Amino acid sequence: MQNIILSFLTSLLVVIFGIPSVITVAKQKGLFDKPDHRKLHVNKVPRLGGLAIIAGFSIAVSIWGIPTEIASRLQYLQAALIVLFFSGLKDDIVVLTPIKKLMSQLLAAALVVVGEDIRITSFYGLFGVTELNIWVSYILSVFTIVVITNAFNLIDGIDGLAGGLGFIISITFGLWFNLIDQVGWSIISFSLAGALIGFLVFNFNPAKIFMGDAGSLCTGFLLSIMAVQFIEFNRPEVQNYYKITTAPVIAIAILVIPLFDTFRVFTIRLLKKKSPFSADRNHLHHMLLKTGLGHKEVSLVLYIVNIIFVLIAFLLKDSPILTVFITIGVLAFALSQIPIYINSQRIADIESDTNGVLSKEITENILSDKHLSN
């Protein structure tokens, strides 16, 4: 436990002391995230927070993780992080084409899936599927890692949201890894958690720095690896007191905000016959901003929602896996409709006050633009 605490404190301190220097260099070199019609900030903000996050994480894991059972795995994990970090950093500075970003993510995922055999091997009976063919396992694992990595990247839209959710998710996995004596993986989780809480000191509204693609892609990648390991450490043949027979669905619940939000937004775009990768303001944090909440309030609401899903999932962990999956899905859909209903009522009120002079499109724009500067 001592190494776990020290890894958390090490990454925390590296980030807290490192970010002011990163901000200074970013300002001197003009490396800002500039406002435009798609973004919710109105001032130029440095977007190189990923530098400090990955530095803090890497230093902490290298110091405190080497004596543990993960020492042999660090080479693959660090190699994958280097690939993702530099592709994200290039995108933060000069913009990287989507295909090149995807290729870097596939390479990073393949490094850990094939190189270290970190992969999903069973569905635990979900949809009637148990053991997976090795090639199906490889493909599914790479796909899962890439999806989670991108899902986390997509929720990085308002101050404090990605960092806070990443902290909650990594702490959840880290505590469970510690319970089953997987000290090395607990160190990885707590090192990331320490780095993210240090980053939040500078990123919570009003943000002094953003994590950028380098930070969000690497953080999402690490969380995806934790999720895969969480699922595998609960395999049917594994015997331990804390075993969870519904692990795949519990992992989904732990990652519910980024996963459900990405699924929801992609579905809306496809139904509108648009590319699923086209930019819009249909994310959950956009919908909550339209209700009148500010950045701080939206982030806090989504933190609480994610924690509630984690608690519900663990309370239902002994129920049939399909039951837990349906419950999580229905609850996520129901909760996502609340801000939509609130906004529809506000639009109706505005139209009523103006005797229908303003069109629905105009009132929606009024609501969407109201909190850009918060």
Side-chain angles (χ1 to χ4, degrees):
M1 189 64 186
Q2 179 181 346
N3 280 9
I4 295 171
I5 295 172
L6 289 172
S7 68
F8 178 87
L9 292 175
T10 300
S11 60
L12 170 65
L13 292 174
V14 169
V15 173
I16 285 179
F17 286 105
I19 282 185
S21 297
V22 173
I23 293 174
T24 299
V25 172
K27 288 181 177 179
Q28 289 176 348
K29 301 300 181 181
L31 302 174
F32 298 106
D33 188 18
K34 297 177 182 179
D36 61 30
H37 67 284
R38 293 172 43 235
K39 297 174 182 176
L40 296 175
H41 61 282
V42 294
N43 299 313
K44 294 179 180 180
V45 180
R47 58 180 304 179
L48 299 179
L51 279 168
I53 293 171
I54 300 309
F57 169 83
S58 298
I59 291 170
V61 172
S62 297
I63 294 174
W64 306 110
I66 291 296
T68 71
E69 74 282 356
I70 62 161
S72 64
R73 299 185 173 190
L74 290 179
Q75 58 184 323
Y76 297 99
L77 187 62
Q78 295 286 35
L81 280 178
I82 289 170
V83 170
L84 275 182
F85 175 76
F86 280 105
S87 66
L89 187 62
K90 182 176 180 180
D91 192 50
D92 288 333
I93 297 174
V94 296
V95 180
L96 192 66
T97 62
I99 188 64
K100 289 182 179 179
K101 287 176 67 175
L102 178 60
M103 293 303 294
S104 69
Q105 293 164 27
L106 290 171
L107 176 58
L111 279 169
V112 293
V113 170
V114 179
E116 190 46 50
D117 205 35
I118 296 175
R119 58 191 176 88
I120 300 170
T121 59
S122 173
F123 256 30
Y124 293 60
L126 182 62
F127 307 125
V129 180
T130 51
E131 289 295 311
L132 299 174
N133 172 278
I134 187 167
W135 290 107
V136 173
S137 174
Y138 281 146
I139 294 170
L140 176 66
S141 300
V142 169
F143 174 78
T144 299
I145 291 169
V146 170
V147 166
I148 295 174
T149 300
N150 279 285
F152 193 81
N153 178 244
L154 289 172
I155 65 161
D156 185 24
I158 62 172
D159 299 346
L161 181 57
L165 289 178
F167 172 77
I168 292 167
I169 295 166
S170 56
I171 281 289
T172 302
F173 284 131
L175 290 172
W176 189 85
F177 289 143
N178 187 54
L179 285 176
I180 63 168
D181 295 323
Q182 288 289 339
V183 178
W185 285 102
S186 189
I187 286 173
I188 286 177
S189 303
F190 274 83
S191 294
L192 180 60
L196 291 174
I197 203 70
F199 169 72
L200 275 177
V201 172
F202 302 90
N203 180 247
F204 207 67
N205 185 257
K208 298 179 180 67
I209 192 170
F210 298 151
M211 66 169 60
D213 275 11
S216 61
L217 289 174
C218 288
T219 299
F221 177 77
L222 289 168
L223 296 177
S224 71
I225 300 301
M226 293 175 203
V228 171
Q229 287 298 88
F230 173 80
I231 293 170
E232 283 304 291
F233 287 144
N234 284 293
R235 280 179 54 82
E237 66 270 20
V238 174
Q239 297 298 323
N240 68 65
Y241 181 76
Y242 298 102
K243 179 179 176 179
I244 299 173
T245 58
T246 55
V249 178
I250 302 299
I252 291 173
I254 294 171
L255 290 154
V256 67
I257 298 295
L259 287 179
F260 178 77
D261 187 46
T262 299
F263 173 78
R264 174 183 166 278
V265 168
F266 276 27
T267 301
I268 291 173
R269 291 171 184 171
L270 289 171
L271 290 174
K272 291 182 176 180
K273 297 182 179 180
K274 295 181 179 179
S275 166
F277 301 100
S278 60
D280 57 31
R281 288 185 178 177
N282 281 318
H283 288 281
L284 288 172
H285 53 268
H286 291 132
M287 303 305 296
L288 286 167
L289 284 172
K290 290 179 183 179
T291 65
L293 298 177
H295 284 225
K296 290 179 182 177
E297 292 83 2
V298 171
S299 292
L300 290 171
V301 165
L302 291 176
Y303 296 168
I304 293 169
V305 169
N306 209 118
I307 292 170
I308 289 172
F309 270 91
V310 171
L311 295 175
I312 291 174
F314 276 102
L315 287 173
L316 296 175
K317 64 183 178 64
D318 295 323
S319 302
I321 189 168
L322 187 59
T323 299
V324 182
F325 180 77
I326 293 173
T327 301
I328 295 300
V330 170
L331 185 58
F333 176 78
L335 289 177
S336 72
Q337 299 306 300
I338 294 176
I340 295 174
Y341 174 76
I342 293 173
N343 289 328
S344 66
Q345 292 299 112
R346 295 186 72 203
I347 289 171
D349 290 343
I350 293 173
E351 291 178 335
S352 175
D353 291 341
T354 58
N355 296 317
V357 173
L358 298 181
S359 69
K360 185 174 182 179
E361 181 180 356
I362 293 174
T363 52
E364 285 180 336
N365 287 336
I366 291 172
L367 294 180
S368 66
D369 292 339
K370 184 175 180 180
H371 293 277
L372 290 182
S373 60
N374 285 359

